[in-house]
Amino acid sequence: MTSNYTISNIFFATMSFTTIIFVVAAAIVGAALAFILMKVFNRHDISDDNREQAWQETKSQLAKLTEANEQAEHDKARLAKDKERAERLLKEATERMNILDEQLKSAMTDGKVDAKDVAQFADTEKLEKEIKKLKEQLEDTEDELDEQERKLKKKTTEFNDLQSEKSKLDAEHKRIIAELENVRTELKAKREELNMKMQTLSFVQSILSARNLTSDNIAKTEENIGLVESFVQGLFLNSLNYFYTEGLLECKGKQGQEAQTLTKEYFSNRFVQWAATKRKSWLDGKTTIAFIGEFSAGKTSIVNRILSQDNQNVPLLPVSTKATTAIPTYISGAPSTTYSFISDDRRKRLEESVFKMVSKEVLDNVSGISSLIKYFVMTYNNPNLNGLSILDTPGFNSNDAEDSERTIEVINECDALFWVFDVNVGTVNKTSIELIKSKLQKPLYVVINKVDTKSNNEVDRVVKLIRDTFAREGIQVQGFIRFSQKAPLAIIMEPIKHVSRDTTRDSLLGDIDSWLDSLDSTMQNFVKAANQEYQSHTKQWNQIISEINRSISTICQNCETARSIPHWEEHFFSSDRYEMSAGEGSQLISLLDNIAGNNMDNLVQLINSATDCSSAMQQAYTHYRDMMDARALVEKCKEEFNRIKKHFK
């Protein structure tokens, strides 16, 4: 029974191995066909999709072939074990046969054969037949195994060739995959660039289609400011120039010229400050501070903390990790949250969704952004911003020189400046020092930012270095503030709340009013004095004329008396003639002497006095008329200014 079971196992193992060999052969043939098709595809320059499909099919066939090959090797090993087991059983059967033969010979020699021996002999014959049959099957199996090994060797060679081709295909596939990855990377970059362009385009479209804020008529405000500017630069300063030139203010000469220049500069500068405040209604009546400094010092991050009060739901100003074109941004307290921008001297509404699109990268993609947006203006219902306006500025060392110029233009409108330094920079560069000394004329606070990135000793060293540098350069600092994103907000808010508002920015109209009232009073006094002088000369003139009239009357009387002294006498015996007595002759001579002497000298003297008085009176009258004209000029200024002031009530 044992022998029969073993032989059956050997037979079925041989049949299983044969089946596997056929499966492997079929797989190899399929792989070969796939490889041939792949080569055909390559020769015909198939598309990337077909090449990918062919490569995947080849890869799949090779995987199946590899699996079948491994299974064949496994079955071959199992068949070898079965062969070894069959050989061992054959050996055992042979040895048993030998034993039985010996027993048979012994029995025949002794002549003793029992039933057991007969049965064993019968089994021996049967065993011999099975052994013979087993030998034949083993021989057939060995022959078949040799044939299958030969075929497997051939297929293995083909498999290796196909594997070599696959390696080439793998290399080509990797190259294509690498190229595809590069294309994908470029495509991703292009897609991001396109998205940025689309976002920029959407932003620009929103800016161009933005509606004007009806509550803030910038055009009308600008028109009214223009009226004041025309008045100040025209009638008002021309009047002052006239008063200085005529010596009605200060004095003539060098001092008058200096006073005239200083007055002109005073009102010109005051107008610029006043106009800047009026143009920016969000600054009117508010304390204004500016965060300034070099790029990436953390200015905007500080402003965002003030805005949000560490509430992440509040829309924040855009922050960038690279220097880009930026726009000055005003943030003011108001009853409601609004977003707007100034463009073409108009204040336009900015929707919150558009504001959230704003980034410095987007702005950097818009050529000529300053022509579209001059300033951003944000208002927030934020207790930290009550009565306060904050200006966030571009960095002074950003890539665009326009940023610095625009920043310098607006920061001097503020009441105080907060210069932010990055503690990691550790020092103040010369450019910043020169800028502070030459351009910035406002109270200055120094904020040492990001102090949480350094130890206390390192921060102390940086603060001392900056403090010593400013002291050496003669720059006055109101205070040094250490700050970071982890520091309490009160550290920065307390100094801000103590900034004093410069009220002179609002006093232009009041100053002009005071000047005009003072000029009017001065001109009234000048007119009164000139009139008094003219009246004095007029009175003197009248007195002189009276004296002249009396002198002429005296001369006339003397002439009439002298004319009456010679009297006409008619003679009978002689010709008629004028006659006078000796006394009458003496009287006539005396009268003529008076007329030609004292009377005439007195008259000439009076006439000369009258001429001098007339000249003085004319000069006094001219001066009086000049004073009247000067006062009329002041009154004209007051009338015009009162008309302009009505636009600002």
Side-chain angles (χ1 to χ4, degrees), residues 463-595:
V463 172
K464 184 179 184 304
L465 176 61
I466 295 177
R467 189 191 298 272
D468 292 345
T469 301
F470 275 55
R472 185 171 58 254
E473 295 292 338
I475 300 174
Q476 185 176 0
V477 178
Q478 304 298 318
F480 289 84
I481 305 166
R482 306 184 185 201
F483 197 67
S484 72
Q485 286 298 306
K486 298 179 181 179
L489 193 56
I491 291 179
I492 196 73
M493 288 307 303
E494 285 302 318
I496 291 176
K497 291 177 181 178
H498 286 86
V499 172
S500 299
R501 182 171 175 268
D502 182 7
T503 57
T504 60
R505 287 185 285 132
D506 305 324
S507 64
L508 174 69
L509 302 185
D511 287 351
I512 294 176
D513 248 340
S514 297
W515 268 79
L516 290 177
D517 287 342
S518 176
L519 283 174
D520 189 34
S521 177
T522 300
M523 290 303 105
Q524 287 184 30
N525 292 333
F526 283 159
V527 168
K528 183 178 180 180
N531 184 52
Q532 289 175 349
E533 182 181 4
Y534 172 68
Q535 293 299 329
S536 175
H537 287 296
T538 300
K539 182 178 180 181
Q540 184 181 2
W541 165 264
N542 291 332
Q543 291 174 351
I544 293 173
I545 293 300
S546 295
E547 291 294 328
I548 290 175
N549 288 334
R550 284 194 295 271
S551 178
I552 292 174
S553 178
T554 299
I555 291 173
C556 289
Q557 290 177 359
N558 288 337
C559 288
E560 185 63 30
T561 301
R563 185 183 72 81
S564 65
I565 290 178
H567 51 274
W568 182 258
E569 292 288 342
E570 294 180 355
H571 294 279
F572 185 76
F573 297 102
S574 59
S575 58
D576 297 337
R577 58 183 179 274
Y578 282 98
E579 295 178 353
M580 69 180 88
S581 62
E584 289 176 337
S586 297
Q587 182 183 359
L588 177 61
I589 291 170
S590 176
L591 288 172
L592 292 175
D593 286 340
N594 285 334
I595 292 171

Side-chain angles (χ1 to χ4, degrees), residues 372-520:
L372 287 177
I373 303 175
K374 193 172 183 180
Y375 315 112
F376 279 122
V377 180
M378 314 299 170
T379 64
Y380 291 88
N381 185 7
N382 183 330
N384 283 336
L385 296 175
N386 289 341
L388 179 66
S389 181
I390 298 176
L391 172 61
D392 182 34
T393 65
F396 281 114
N397 60 341
S398 66
N399 293 336
D400 194 344
E402 184 181 355
D403 288 351
S404 296
E405 292 300 323
R406 198 180 332 182
T407 298
I408 294 170
E409 174 188 345
V410 296
I411 58 178
N412 280 321
E413 301 168 2
C414 300
D415 297 307
L417 308 177
F418 285 74
W419 191 290
V420 182
F421 289 92
D422 185 346
V423 71
N424 295 288
V425 175
T427 186
V428 186
N429 62 51
K430 293 182 179 180
T431 303
S432 296
I433 291 293
E434 293 173 0
L435 182 65
I436 293 172
K437 294 176 69 173
S438 63
K439 300 290 186 180
L440 310 183
Q441 307 299 327
K442 298 292 182 176
L444 181 66
Y445 292 82
V446 172
V447 181
I448 312 299
N449 198 24
K450 306 178 185 179
V451 295
D452 56 338
T453 62
K454 295 284 187 181
S455 67
N456 291 336
N457 290 337
E458 290 175 314
V459 174
D460 289 341
R461 284 196 294 270
V462 172
V463 172
K464 184 179 184 304
L465 176 61
I466 295 177
R467 189 191 298 272
D468 292 345
T469 301
F470 275 55
R472 185 171 58 254
E473 295 292 338
I475 300 174
Q476 185 176 0
V477 178
Q478 304 298 318
F480 289 84
I481 305 166
R482 306 184 185 201
F483 197 67
S484 72
Q485 286 298 306
K486 298 179 181 179
L489 193 56
I491 291 179
I492 196 73
M493 288 307 303
E494 285 302 318
I496 291 176
K497 291 177 181 178
H498 286 86
V499 172
S500 299
R501 182 171 175 268
D502 182 7
T503 57
T504 60
R505 287 185 285 132
D506 305 324
S507 64
L508 174 69
L509 302 185
D511 287 351
I512 294 176
D513 248 340
S514 297
W515 268 79
L516 290 177
D517 287 342
S518 176
L519 283 174
D520 189 34

Side-chain angles (χ1 to χ4, degrees), residues 71-214:
Q71 184 63 39
E73 291 290 344
H74 175 72
D75 290 342
K76 179 181 176 182
R78 184 160 56 83
L79 183 58
K81 289 182 179 180
D82 290 344
K83 178 183 176 182
E84 181 182 354
R85 187 181 303 111
E87 289 176 345
R88 178 172 53 78
L89 291 174
L90 182 61
K91 181 179 179 181
E92 290 177 355
T94 303
E95 291 177 351
R96 186 177 177 189
M97 281 294 297
N98 292 332
I99 293 172
L100 289 174
D101 286 342
E102 291 295 329
Q103 289 177 350
L104 181 59
K105 289 178 181 181
S106 176
M108 291 178 65
T109 302
D110 296 338
K112 296 179 180 179
V113 179
D114 54 18
K116 183 178 178 181
D117 292 335
V118 173
Q120 288 181 343
F121 292 152
D123 288 340
T124 299
E125 291 178 357
K126 184 177 179 180
L127 185 59
E128 285 179 348
K129 292 179 181 181
E130 290 180 355
I131 289 173
K132 182 178 180 182
K133 184 179 179 180
L134 183 59
K135 286 182 178 180
E136 291 174 353
Q137 288 177 349
L138 284 176
E139 288 175 357
D140 292 340
T141 301
E142 288 178 352
D143 292 340
E144 186 178 357
L145 183 59
D146 291 339
E147 178 64 20
Q148 293 300 332
E149 286 181 348
R150 183 182 63 80
K151 291 180 180 180
L152 182 59
K153 183 177 181 181
K154 180 180 179 181
K155 295 302 181 182
T156 301
T157 301
E158 293 176 356
F159 174 79
N160 291 336
D161 293 340
L162 187 59
Q163 185 66 34
S164 177
E165 290 295 329
K166 177 183 176 297
S167 298
K168 294 179 181 178
L169 282 175
D170 285 342
E172 178 67 13
H173 182 261
K174 289 180 180 179
R175 184 186 66 80
I176 294 174
I177 291 298
E179 291 179 356
L180 180 61
E181 189 62 32
N182 290 336
V183 171
R184 286 175 178 170
T185 301
E186 293 179 4
L187 181 61
K188 181 180 179 181
K190 292 295 183 182
R191 186 179 292 111
E192 291 176 353
E193 182 180 355
L194 178 60
N195 290 338
M196 181 61 66
K197 296 289 185 184
M198 294 299 294
Q199 186 175 356
T200 301
L201 178 60
S202 176
F203 172 74
V204 172
Q205 288 175 336
S206 299
I207 292 299
L208 294 177
S209 61
R211 294 175 297 167
N212 294 334
L213 276 176
T214 56

Side-chain angles (χ1 to χ4, degrees), residues 592-606:
L592 292 175
D593 286 340
N594 285 334
I595 292 171
N598 294 334
N599 289 342
M600 189 57 65
D601 290 342
N602 185 48
L603 180 61
V604 170
Q605 185 177 359
L606 288 172

Side-chain angles (χ1 to χ4, degrees), residues 158-350:
E158 293 176 356
F159 174 79
N160 291 336
D161 293 340
L162 187 59
Q163 185 66 34
S164 177
E165 290 295 329
K166 177 183 176 297
S167 298
K168 294 179 181 178
L169 282 175
D170 285 342
E172 178 67 13
H173 182 261
K174 289 180 180 179
R175 184 186 66 80
I176 294 174
I177 291 298
E179 291 179 356
L180 180 61
E181 189 62 32
N182 290 336
V183 171
R184 286 175 178 170
T185 301
E186 293 179 4
L187 181 61
K188 181 180 179 181
K190 292 295 183 182
R191 186 179 292 111
E192 291 176 353
E193 182 180 355
L194 178 60
N195 290 338
M196 181 61 66
K197 296 289 185 184
M198 294 299 294
Q199 186 175 356
T200 301
L201 178 60
S202 176
F203 172 74
V204 172
Q205 288 175 336
S206 299
I207 292 299
L208 294 177
S209 61
R211 294 175 297 167
N212 294 334
L213 276 176
T214 56
S215 61
D216 199 348
N217 193 338
I218 293 182
K220 186 63 177 178
T221 301
E222 193 63 35
E223 179 183 347
N224 294 336
I225 291 173
L227 293 176
V228 176
E229 182 177 20
S230 297
F231 172 77
V232 171
Q233 299 297 338
L235 181 60
F236 181 65
L237 288 181
N238 288 339
S239 298
L240 293 183
N241 181 60
Y242 168 77
F243 297 144
Y244 279 114
T245 302
E246 294 299 320
L248 303 178
L249 294 175
E250 293 294 332
C251 58
K252 294 181 179 180
K254 183 177 180 181
Q255 289 183 343
Q257 286 296 109
E258 290 178 353
Q260 180 179 350
T261 301
L262 291 174
T263 303
K264 184 175 182 180
E265 289 179 354
Y266 172 82
F267 279 104
S268 296
N269 293 336
R270 186 59 59 86
F271 168 77
V272 171
Q273 295 178 7
W274 173 85
T277 300
K278 290 300 177 183
R279 285 189 177 102
K280 301 168 183 175
S281 59
W282 56 92
L283 300 181
D284 204 3
K286 291 184 173 66
T287 300
T288 305
I289 66 167
F291 283 95
I292 60 176
E294 298 175 10
F295 171 75
S296 194
K299 303 182 298 297
T300 302
S301 296
I302 294 176
V303 174
N304 279 336
R305 282 202 65 194
I306 296 174
L307 295 186
S308 67
Q309 300 181 86
D310 298 327
N311 180 357
Q312 297 302 318
N313 295 323
V314 175
L316 304 178
L317 302 181
V319 180
S320 179
T321 57
K322 62 178 183 177
T324 56
T325 300
I327 296 174
T329 302
Y330 290 92
I331 305 98
S332 298
S336 61
T337 299
T338 63
Y339 310 98
S340 60
F341 64 95
I342 307 301
S343 177
D344 297 329
D345 293 327
R346 294 180 182 272
R347 187 174 177 183
K348 298 186 177 183
R349 186 183 305 278
L350 190 67

